[in-house]
Amino acid sequence: MKRDFVKFPLHVIFHPFDGFWDMKYERKGKVRVVLTILALLILTLILQKQFSGFLVNFYDPRDLNSLNDIIYTLLPFFLFCVANWSITTLMEGEGKFKEIVMATGYALLPLILLNLPMTFISRIMVSEETAFYYMMNSFAGIWFIYLLFVGIMTVHQYTASKTVITMILTVIAMGIFVFLGTLAISLGAQIWYFIYDIYRELIFRT
Amino acid sequence: MKLKKALVLAAIVSMLATAASPAASAATPYEAYTYNYYEDSVPLPAPYVPEKAISGQSLGVGSFNQPNDLFVTEDGFIYILDSGNARIIALDNEWRVIRTIESFDIDGTENKFANPSGIFVSDKKEIYVADTDKGRVVVLTNEGELIRVVNNPQSEILPQGFKFVPLKVTVDKAGRIFVVARGMYEGIMQFDEKGRFLGYVGTIKVSTNPADRLWRTLATDAQKAQMQLFIPTEFASVDIDSKGFVYATTVDINSTETIKRLNPSGQDVLKRFGYYPPRGDIRYRRLGNNSGPSKLVDIKVLGDGMYVALDSLRARLFTYNDEGELLYAFGGRGTQLGVFNTPVAVERAGDKLVVLDRGKNNIVVFKPTQFGKLVTEATIEHYNGNTDRSVDIWRDVLRLNSNFDIAYLGIGRSLLMEKKNKEAMAYFKLGMHRKYYSTAFKRYRREVMQEQFGNFMTTLMVLIAAFVAYRIARKVRVRRSDRREA
């Protein structure tokens, strides 16, 4: 329990090459850990919007919506995993879908570990010190990108340049998915309203 | 079933609400508002209500014809520039006609105005008229005798074939004349008390956007000649405050600095410390009817840092304090008393506001409400440094309208000066002002740290002592067990 949830994730974020290797070949990664990380990330986002200090909190309280936070965290996450999987199966990647999910999930850990404490530290900051808050936030972001890069590279056994190319292609694929998704939803809505209109027509005629 | 009940209840409540609201706003044909931190307009109780409309007939001098400007002196005497009839109507502070000036003598011959558009009356009761179509500024005594004519400015910096078309005029205490002239992109023209041209003040910076610049670099010479020049916009109006600073407005859709306060050397020193710069409406339609930023055609200094600007596009009045924060905006277009057709000038008469409407050929007098009076008083007290008195008034303002951010900021600033940092923090948070909040919080944090330093150090020492004791105890135990084994 402690090894799965604490020791191994920390090992991964501090020694990414070694950690991701172990995750893939020693089967040390667990999907339930990834789900926990996602849940904590959502919690971090919600807490950040609600409780970060007045000086750094620019969210309009009327727009806060935890359901949106959940959707806008989970959706990009799985979109990235699916897009990356679709691209890498075509580009001789060795990773399975489960491994992509795990690599992406473990890479998110720094965002929690840095942003959650910073949320509460920001409450005792004055405006000259807020630069430190933003620095830590961007540091967490950079760390996440680095881990994601190493994770994808290790999982698929790619070279660095090929990883960069697949990353770019993944982003493009994500865009295509979103486009197709909206297209399908709007077409579906059209069909639905067509059927619904016919139904109403019949109801009012008889 | 429960849902149905709730819906019925909601319907009843909403009906009651709509039935109740007209009674509250029936006094004015407009809704007053201000903008909050999120740039949403927040309704306010009306700061001013229309008191009466005054037309030429009601004064007994025949109806006005396209009046362009009016001026109210400090002691409340009113001068109306009735441009279409080419006359000045002078009234006393009780709105009684003293005289009308239709003509004046130049070297023994009678002379008339031609479409004058600006008037100013100095402290010495000298009347300055921007006589637009005749290209001159006429200076008259209060009785209508000619003192001087300012025309044909001569200078090397004026372009060849320059035609002087004065629109608005204002004069400082030393007698220097500031003239807004048509086609003068260089700034406001400044004349000395003898009428000699001194130069320009308040040159407007040319604003270009990157797209225009890109087109210009790509265009051929022939195309460039076809393009319009990047010229700065003109000023629309001027006024002067008691310290000799010139307030001016420009009509420029690309600029956010349409109100300027020029110091004697001509630099813009207006404070823009509000959530957004003072420029009339912040939220407006981009396209279609009534679209575009406010067109500020007149400005009046109210004293104690406050000034009011008149938007002719949506016919509204915007009142700002010395920090550049919008106190309230009100007015609108329409035919009722209190809304305008073509407002052209705003003036202050005592605590009342006077607006000249060229379209309706009348003058509307607005008197302040309880709310308006309190806001003005509090702003004045705060401007003059009487913070404790201003706090009490701000609290009264909040009792009338708890959505008034400036009142929270006013109280917060006063509390900050009194070193009540924690309370000040709460008020700055309500007023959404991060800079002041940070200052108050910094002081509060230092206070708390100084207070708690003793406790903190005690706890720390105790913890260190406990840790050391634990280490020693463990060492002793280990040594004992070693000895036992040995």
Side-chain angles (χ1 to χ4, degrees):
Chain A
M1 193 64 185
K2 193 186 169 194
R3 211 194 53 194
D4 278 348
F5 279 92
V6 180
K7 276 200 172 158
F8 184 65
L10 288 178
H11 178 69
V12 169
I13 63 170
F14 287 113
H15 306 95
F17 285 98
D18 197 26
F20 284 118
W21 180 276
D22 285 354
M23 193 183 76
K24 187 173 166 70
Y25 294 106
E26 311 284 323
R27 301 184 181 282
K28 279 189 177 171
K30 295 282 184 304
V31 175
R32 60 173 187 274
V33 177
V34 172
L35 293 180
T36 316
I37 289 174
L38 277 175
L40 283 174
L41 182 67
I42 293 165
L43 186 74
T44 306
L45 272 176
I46 294 170
L47 290 178
Q48 202 174 17
K49 286 183 178 178
Q50 184 75 47
F51 291 114
S52 60
F54 176 63
L55 294 173
V56 293
N57 192 339
F58 289 92
Y59 295 102
D60 187 341
R62 294 169 299 181
D63 293 343
L64 294 188
N65 185 347
S66 300
L67 289 177
N68 276 351
D69 289 339
I70 295 171
I71 291 167
Y72 291 123
T73 313
L74 291 185
L75 203 69
F77 178 81
F78 285 110
L79 200 61
F80 175 83
C81 294
V82 172
N84 190 262
W85 178 76
S86 328
I87 294 292
T88 49
T89 26
L90 297 177
M91 292 181 69
E92 295 142 8
E94 287 180 13
K96 303 191 195 83
F97 183 68
K98 193 178 145 190
E99 288 165 356
I100 297 171
V101 169
M102 281 196 294
T104 319
Y106 278 83
L108 289 168
L109 195 59
L111 292 180
I112 301 166
L113 291 183
L114 287 177
N115 287 357
L116 194 58
M118 283 317 285
T119 300
F120 294 97
I121 293 171
S122 72
R123 293 176 73 90
I124 53 164
M125 283 179 167
V126 298
S127 55
E128 294 90 48
E129 294 151 9
T130 53
F132 183 66
Y133 173 82
Y134 295 120
M135 196 198 77
M136 289 305 272
N137 273 2
S138 15
F139 181 65
I142 291 165
W143 196 354
F144 159 67
I145 302 272
Y146 172 68
L147 288 181
L148 188 69
F149 179 78
V150 175
I152 294 297
M153 201 162 97
T154 316
V155 159
H156 296 303
Q157 294 295 302
Y158 278 163
T159 58
S161 53
K162 199 169 178 185
T163 315
V164 172
I165 293 165
T166 36
M167 285 293 204
I168 293 165
L169 287 175
T170 307
V171 172
I172 294 169
M174 281 165 81
I176 294 171
F177 278 142
V178 170
F179 173 71
L180 289 178
T182 26
L183 197 71
I185 287 169
S186 82
L187 284 178
Q190 299 266 353
I191 293 169
W192 163 249
Y193 278 113
F194 175 67
I195 295 166
Y196 182 65
D197 282 347
I198 289 175
Y199 165 76
R200 279 212 307 196
E201 197 81 6
L202 290 174
I203 288 293
F204 286 126
R205 282 291 158 94
T206 50
Chain B
M1 206 53 225
K2 222 173 189 180
L3 183 74
K4 210 172 187 182
K5 258 186 196 167
L7 279 175
V8 169
L9 192 69
I12 291 168
V13 167
S14 64
M15 274 160 83
L16 283 177
T18 47
S21 61
S25 61
T28 54
Y30 47 75
E31 272 191 17
Y33 61 93
T34 186
Y35 288 103
N36 66 4
Y37 168 78
Y38 297 106
E39 301 194 354
D40 293 328
S41 64
V42 182
L44 295 181
Y48 284 91
V49 288
E51 188 183 45
K52 58 184 173 185
I54 287 152
S55 64
Q57 286 98 325
S58 73
L59 292 172
V61 291
S63 62
F64 301 141
N65 183 5
Q66 305 262 319
N68 266 333
D69 203 3
L70 93 164
F71 190 86
V72 182
T73 59
E74 273 303 307
D75 45 3
F77 282 59
I78 297 143
Y79 295 80
I80 304 160
L81 185 65
D82 190 4
S83 309
N85 294 327
R87 61 178 178 176
I88 299 164
I89 301 159
L91 312 172
D92 68 5
N93 47 16
E94 302 285 318
W95 294 91
R96 286 177 301 232
V97 179
I98 304 172
R99 68 179 72 80
T100 62
I101 302 167
E102 305 214 347
S103 61
F104 49 91
D105 283 356
I106 297 183
D107 302 332
T109 56
E110 196 183 49
N111 213 303
K112 276 182 171 290
F113 299 115
N115 190 24
S117 45
I119 188 169
F120 184 88
V121 181
S122 68
D123 292 345
K124 287 179 276 179
K125 290 280 168 69
E126 291 172 347
I127 306 170
Y128 291 75
V129 179
D131 196 2
T132 308
D133 283 5
K134 289 195 173 164
R136 62 187 179 179
V137 173
V138 181
V139 189
L140 304 171
T141 63
N142 198 20
E143 285 73 36
E145 304 293 323
L146 182 80
I147 299 174
R148 196 180 318 118
V149 171
V150 177
N151 56 6
N152 292 326
Q154 297 299 321
S155 172
E156 287 158 12
I157 58 173
L158 289 169
Q160 286 285 311
F162 167 73
K163 202 162 169 292
F164 182 48
V165 187
L167 292 174
K168 298 285 171 193
V169 60
T170 198
V171 180
D172 71 1
K173 284 213 172 64
R176 274 184 304 177
I177 310 168
F178 298 88
V179 178
V180 168
R182 186 178 295 152
M184 279 302 8
Y185 303 109
E186 285 87 349
I188 298 167
M189 298 178 81
Q190 193 184 6
F191 297 85
D192 68 5
E193 66 277 6
K194 298 265 162 41
R196 282 181 303 236
F197 179 59
L198 290 177
Y200 302 105
V201 288
T203 311
I204 307 173
K205 263 180 268 159
V206 184
S207 57
T208 56
N209 57 15
D212 280 350
R213 273 172 203 269
L214 183 70
W215 274 120
R216 192 149 277 255
T217 49
L218 293 175
T220 63
D221 283 343
Q223 283 169 327
K224 262 183 212 163
Q226 290 272 308
M227 282 182 187
Q228 65 187 101
L229 288 165
F230 293 135
I231 43 175
T233 43
E234 298 170 81
F235 282 96
S237 65
V238 278
D239 196 24
I240 198 155
D241 71 4
S242 57
K243 289 179 190 162
F245 286 78
V246 174
Y247 283 71
T249 61
T250 60
V251 178
D252 183 354
I253 53 165
N254 295 318
S255 172
T256 57
E257 299 182 354
T258 49
I259 298 177
K260 287 169 200 293
R261 181 176 188 243
L262 306 169
N263 67 6
S265 58
Q267 279 143 344
D268 181 12
V269 291
L270 190 77
K271 287 188 187 171
R272 297 186 175 86
F273 295 156
Y275 304 131
Y276 35 80
R279 60 181 188 113
D281 276 317
I282 308 300
R283 286 233 174 152
Y284 45 80
R285 267 186 253 171
R286 305 269 156 194
L287 294 165
N289 271 350
N290 259 340
S291 59
S294 293
K295 212 173 142 191
L296 303 175
V297 293
D298 198 20
I299 187 162
K300 180 67 196 174
V301 178
L302 299 176
D304 298 294
M306 287 183 284
Y307 49 94
V308 57
L310 174 68
D311 170 18
S312 75
L313 183 69
R314 281 174 286 264
R316 287 173 185 163
L317 294 162
F318 296 87
T319 308
Y320 294 93
N321 67 6
D322 63 306
E323 304 266 324
E325 293 162 335
L326 180 64
L327 295 176
Y328 36 74
F330 66 95
R333 237 170 238 293
T335 49
Q336 293 144 289
L337 174 65
V339 282
F340 316 110
N341 182 323
T342 316
V344 287
V346 57
E347 282 291 322
R348 177 185 65 115
D351 60 350
K352 292 172 182 172
L353 282 181
V354 182
V355 178
L356 177 69
D357 192 330
R358 185 165 63 196
K360 286 186 181 173
N361 284 323
N362 70 4
I363 298 167
V364 185
V365 181
F366 290 91
K367 67 165 193 271
T369 59
Q370 175 74 5
F371 175 71
K373 268 184 204 159
L374 286 174
V375 172
T376 310
E377 271 173 43
T379 312
I380 291 171
E381 294 291 0
H382 187 264
Y383 181 75
N384 292 321
N386 305 325
T387 51
D388 44 341
R389 229 176 305 159
S390 77
V391 167
D392 295 338
I393 309 172
W394 281 129
R395 289 194 203 276
D396 288 342
V397 170
L398 286 176
R399 219 162 284 144
L400 294 174
N401 175 21
S402 57
N403 285 332
F404 202 53
D405 288 355
I406 292 163
Y408 290 116
L409 290 183
I411 294 176
R413 268 178 235 159
S414 307
L415 289 172
L416 192 64
M417 271 181 208
E418 290 167 29
K419 299 226 157 57
K420 291 179 183 162
N421 300 323
K422 201 176 178 205
E423 288 106 315
M425 273 162 60
Y427 278 100
F428 288 137
K429 213 168 178 176
L430 285 167
M432 295 299 286
H433 205 299
R434 292 197 160 77
K435 208 178 91 192
Y436 286 125
Y437 176 86
S438 175
T439 315
F441 181 59
K442 199 178 195 172
R443 292 193 198 167
Y444 175 65
R445 196 177 62 176
R446 195 187 301 143
E447 258 173 42
V448 170
M449 286 207 295
Q450 277 168 356
E451 258 172 44
Q452 300 295 329
F453 186 71
N455 295 345
F456 174 73
M457 284 312 279
T458 317
T459 326
L460 195 72
M461 294 310 276
V462 167
L463 282 176
I464 290 173
F467 183 69
V468 170
Y470 168 74
R471 290 302 294 266
I472 291 171
R474 209 174 68 167
K475 224 176 231 173
V476 169
R477 207 183 299 150
V478 167
R479 210 174 289 161
R480 258 188 212 154
S481 60
D482 282 356
R483 218 177 290 158
R484 218 171 289 148
E485 275 166 25

